[in-house]
Amino acid sequence: MQLGMVGLGRMGANMTRRLMRGGHTMVVSDLSADAVKGIAGEGAVASSSLDDLISKLNAPRAAWIMVPAGDPTEKTVQALISTMQAGDTIIDGGNSNFKDDVRRAKLCAAKGVHYVDVGTSGGVWGLERGYCMMIGGPKEAVQRLDPIFKTLAPGRGDIPRTPGREKMAGTAENGYIHCGPSGSGHFVKMVHNGIEYGMMQAYAEGFDIFKNATSKELPEDIRYDLNLPDIAEVWRRGSVVSSWLLDLTAMALTENPTLAEYSGFVQDSGEGRWTIQAALEEAVPAEVLTAALYTRFRSRQDHTFAEKMLSAMRQKFGGHVEPKKH
């Protein structure tokens, strides 16, 4: 299948590579001519502008946007709407606010263009592991793009089937689902990231307790000099708290048990805030997710070992680099 990819950062470039490995034809665009040239050298079709990208796609066209959320995505969507024709599809695979998706979908529909929002999880590991995708948009457009989603997704792999799942249809076991109408994909991804905050915070606080078990404020007979890399490792094997985040934690602690290379300054993406806003609008208690978000705010003032661990996990799963100290 042919697809346009707008944005060749960490995610966009690797998604392009995975799709090309799966036999799809990729037409690419990026503000960096060098990025376009580099991926074209791997087999993609280069374009010099959005208009040029659209001209090189066969109708009905499909263009996947993988640029930062907010103004960059908004400008890209508006530019594509002005160029695309009825039956074409715009796919936003970034981290947009689901309410923006609903608005953009209406603008697209007025011109007969489909709008599909795809919440994408997988980070820098997605090229090899595949990407978990939560998709919103018109059913006919999502079905037409199924070969793209199937290639990007992890597939069933060696994960045991959930008991009773063999009686159920759908693509969830392959790592992607059509959640519903426009906005629903990014809504599900938004809450996914809110949960991610809470899980990361729980690990970080637990290991901070371990690290401070040698405190001189404690009676000497209950001071413990614990091996943090070993604890993370043993929990990976048979523990009920095992997870991919724990795998990444174990990796970071093995590399440096003190996490000295991390300052503990932890950024927050929009989804964490939007999840709390959705909880407020729905009157749903979300104490853990809210506390995890607030901890990230506080991390920018002073830094604990827990916050260094959060920085370590973000770097491992998404390649997120801490901002330089001013």
Side-chain angles (χ1 to χ4, degrees), residues 200-211 228 235 306 309:
M200 292 171 69
Q201 189 64 33
Y203 284 130
E205 290 177 8
F207 277 88
D208 204 7
I209 294 169
F210 289 151
K211 180 178 182 294
L228 273 57
W235 281 359
M309 181 160 288

Side-chain angles (χ1 to χ4, degrees), residues 121 134 187-203 243 245 269 271-276 279 284-293 296 310 313 317:
S121 182
M134 297 137 271
F187 182 84
V188 174
K189 176 58 162 53
M190 173 189 77
V191 178
H192 163 284
N193 280 30
I195 293 171
E196 178 185 290
Y197 280 28
M199 293 174 63
M200 292 171 69
Q201 189 64 33
Y203 284 130
S243 72
L245 284 174
S269 60
E271 296 99 328
R273 302 186 188 205
W274 302 335
T275 299
I276 305 309
V284 173
E287 295 95 335
V288 171
L289 307 191
T290 303
L293 176 64
R296 295 197 176 199
L310 290 175
M313 284 188 276
F317 76 72

